[in-house]
C-alpha cells in the first residue's frame, strides 16, 4: 500500500512539474517586449530610457567587440569604411564588424523594438551586425524601429532594416528622432506607441497633458479616481486653468469631483494628484499632504517639468486627454522626400547647395 502511495505521489509531482514548465513557456512567450539598441554618443540610450519609462520591456545593449574606436575621426573615415564593407558584400558575415556576444535571445519575445543611430544615411554598422546575426531568430515577430540622426532622413535605415529582417511583421511606421526633436522625445515616443497595435494594452493606462502646444504622457495609477477620470476623458478632453503655488506645484479646480482614496503622501516632481476630491495638482517640486494619487508625468527631469508646467505663472491653460497628435514618419513618404535632399558631411541639411562635398541619398556628391 505504501509503495502504491509513493508511486501515485511521484506521478502527481512529475505531472505538476511538466505543467508548470509548460506554463512558464507559454507566459514567457505571450507578448513580452525586447528593446535592442546601440548607441555611440548616448542619444539612442536616452531614447531607450524614455521608451522604457512608457512600456514594460527588457533591454539589450549591443556593443562593438573592438573598444575605444573613433568612428568620427578623420572625417568619419572608419564609420564610412565599415558601412562600405557591408554595402560591398551584404550577404557575407565577414563584412560586418564584430560585436560582443549576446546572451538574450530574441526568440523569447513577441515584440522587438530596435533603436539605432543613422550613419551616413544608413543603419549604424554595429546594429547591422546584430541584425545580420540574430535577424533570423526574429522571423514572424512584431518589430518596431526608432532611428536617431542629427538631421538626415531615415529612408536608408528603413531599407537596411527591411533587407536584414525580411521575415518580420513591422509594427507600423518607423519613428525618426533628430537633433532638433530629441528634447521632445517623450511626446514623440508616446504618440508613436499610440499608433502601434501591440502597445494599445500598455497605453490604456495613459492620459496626456497639453500645455501651450506641448504634450506629455502621464502613467495613471490604477484606482477609483483614475477610472472615473478616464470615463470623463472618453467623452471629451477637459481644459482648466491652473496656477503655481508654494514653489512646488501648479494646481486648480477640475470643474467636477472624483471619488477619493486620500492618503498622507509625499508628492515628488512629476506626480499628478487629486486634492480635496475636485482639484488637480501637478508637481515640479515636493510636498506632503493627504492626496489621492492620479499618476506620474512620464520621462521629464525636474527642470524640464518646471518648463513644461510653466512654474511660477498664475494662469496656465491645461488640457487633459486620452490621445495625443501623431507624428510618426511614414516610410514611403519619408523615402521620397529625403532621397532628394543634400546633407553636409556633418549631417546638416543643405537647402540650396552650390559648391563642395555633400551627401545625397546616402552617397557622396561633389558639386
Ligand atoms: C559615423 C557617423 C556617421 C554619421 N552620419 C550622419 C549622417 O549622415 N546624417 C546625420 O544626420 N547624422 C549622422 N550622424 C550623427 C548620428 O546619427 C546622431 O548623432 C545620432 O543621434 C547618434 O546616436 P547615438 O548618440 O546613440 O550614437 C553620424 C554619426 C556617426 C558617428
Amino acid at each position: 500500500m505504501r509503495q502504491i502511495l509513493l508511486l501515485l505521489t511521484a506521478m502527481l509531482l512529475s505531472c505538476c512539474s511538466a505543467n508548470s514548465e509548460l506554463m512558464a513557456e507559454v507566459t514567457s512567450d505571450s507578448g513580452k517586449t525586447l528593446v535592442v539598441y546601440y548607441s555611440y554618443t548616448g542619444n539612442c540610450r536616452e531614447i531607450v530610457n524614455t521608451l522604457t519609462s512608457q512600456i514594460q520591456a527588457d533591454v539589450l545593449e549591443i556593443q562593438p567587440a573592438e573598444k575605444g574606436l573613433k568612428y568620427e575621426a578623420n572625417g568619419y573615415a572608419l564609420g564610412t569604411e565599415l558601412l562600405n564593407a557591408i554595402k560591398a558584400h551584404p550577404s557575407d558575415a565577414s563584412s560586418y564588424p564584430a560585436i560582443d556576444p549576446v546572451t538574450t535571445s530574441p526568440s523569447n519575445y513577441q515584440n522587438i523594438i530596435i533603436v539605432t543611430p543613422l550613419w551616413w544615411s544608413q543603419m549604424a554598422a554595429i546594429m547591422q551586425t546584430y541584425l545580420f546575426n540574430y535577424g533570423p531568430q526574429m522571423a514572424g515577430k512584431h518589430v518596431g524601429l526608432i532611428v536617431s540622426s542629427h538631421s538626415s532622413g531615415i529612408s536608408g535605415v528603413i531599407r537596411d532594416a527591411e533587407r536584414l529582417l525580411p521575415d518580420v511583421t513591422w509594427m507600423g511606421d518607423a519613428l525618426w528622432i533628430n537633433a532638433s526633436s530629441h528634447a521632445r522625445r517623450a511626446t514623440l515616443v508616446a504618440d508613436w506607441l499610440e499608433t502601434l497595435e501591440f502597445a494599445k494594452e500598455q497605453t490604456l493606462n495613459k492620459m496626456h497633458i497639453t500645455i501651450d502646444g506641448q504634450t506629455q504622457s502621464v502613467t495613471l495609477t490604477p484606482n477609483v479616481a483614475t477610472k472615473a477620470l478616464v470615463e470623463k476623458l472618453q467623452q471629451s478632453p477637459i481644459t482648466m486653468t491652473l496656477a503655481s503655488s508654494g514653489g512646488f506645484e501648479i494646481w486648480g479646480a477640475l470643474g467636477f469631483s472624483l471619488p477619493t482614496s486620500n492618503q498622507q503622501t509625499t508628492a515628488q516632481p512629476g506626480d499628478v494628484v487629486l486634492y480635496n476630491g475636485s482639484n488637480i495638482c501637478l508637481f515640479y517640486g515636493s510636498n506632503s499632504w493627504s492626496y489621492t494619487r492620479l499618476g506620474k508625468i512620464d520621462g521629464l527631469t525636474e527642470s524640464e517639468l518646471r518648463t513644461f508646467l510653466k512654474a511660477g505663472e498664475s494662469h496656465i491653460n491645461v488640457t487633459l486627454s486620452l490621445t495625443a497628435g501623431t507624428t510618426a514618419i511614414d516610410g514611403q513618404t519619408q523615402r521620397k522626400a529625403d532621397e532628394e535632399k543634400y546633407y553636409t558631411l556633418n549631417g546638416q541639411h543643405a537647402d540650396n547647395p552650390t559648391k563642395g562635398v555633400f551627401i545625397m541619398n546616402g552617397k557622396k556628391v561633389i558639386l
Side-chain angles (χ1 to χ4, degrees), residues 39-44 76 117-121 148-152 347:
S39 185
Y40 177 52
T41 55
N43 293 334
C44 287
Y76 292 79
L118 168 149
W119 285 3
W120 294 124
S121 300
S148 171
S149 77
H150 182 273
S151 53
S152 296

Side-chain angles (χ1 to χ4, degrees), residues 38-45 71-72 76 78-80 83 116-122 148-153 177 182 343-348 359:
Y38 166 64
S39 185
Y40 177 52
T41 55
N43 293 334
C44 287
R45 186 170 298 112
Y71 300 109
E72 76 288 14
Y76 292 79
L78 179 54
T80 312
L83 291 166
T116 179
L118 168 149
W119 285 3
W120 294 124
S121 300
Q122 297 155 71
S148 171
S149 77
H150 182 273
S151 53
S152 296
I177 299 180
H182 187 79
Y343 295 92
T344 67
L345 296 183
N346 291 330
Q348 306 273 10
I359 302 291

Side-chain angles (χ1 to χ4, degrees), residues 67-222:
K67 311 294 179 206
L69 293 178
K70 294 263 177 262
Y71 300 109
E72 76 288 14
N74 302 326
Y76 292 79
L78 179 54
T80 312
E81 194 184 302
L82 293 176
L83 291 166
N84 286 345
I86 294 173
K87 236 181 178 174
H89 302 286
S91 310
D92 184 346
S94 66
S95 313
Y96 292 80
I99 57 172
D100 278 351
V102 170
T103 48
T104 308
S105 168
S107 51
N108 290 333
Y109 295 84
Q110 195 53 39
N111 313 299
I112 296 151
I113 300 179
I114 294 152
V115 184
T116 179
L118 168 149
W119 285 3
W120 294 124
S121 300
Q122 297 155 71
M123 183 183 289
I126 308 302
M127 182 54 89
Q128 291 207 41
T129 305
Y130 171 74
L131 295 185
F132 183 84
N133 293 345
Y134 294 89
Q137 292 185 28
M138 296 185 199
K141 308 282 181 187
H142 291 102
V143 179
L145 179 66
I146 302 181
V147 183
S148 171
S149 77
H150 182 273
S151 53
S152 296
I154 64 170
S155 62
V157 184
I158 294 173
R159 262 198 301 273
D160 288 330
E162 288 169 349
R163 168 176 59 80
L164 291 157
L165 301 172
D167 300 320
V168 305
T169 303
W170 293 100
M171 286 173 177
D173 295 324
L175 172 65
W176 175 25
I177 299 180
N178 58 28
S180 62
S181 63
H182 187 79
R184 287 186 287 115
R185 62 192 176 279
T187 310
L188 294 178
V189 166
D191 290 352
W192 180 70
L193 286 171
E194 266 187 19
T195 68
L196 307 181
E197 204 54 44
F198 102 99
K200 287 234 163 83
E201 243 174 55
Q202 311 203 30
T203 53
L204 271 182
N205 63 343
K206 300 277 178 185
M207 73 169 179
H208 292 85
I209 296 179
T210 302
I211 300 175
D212 215 7
Q214 298 288 314
T215 302
Q216 292 293 336
S217 61
V218 175
T219 302
L220 295 171
T221 307

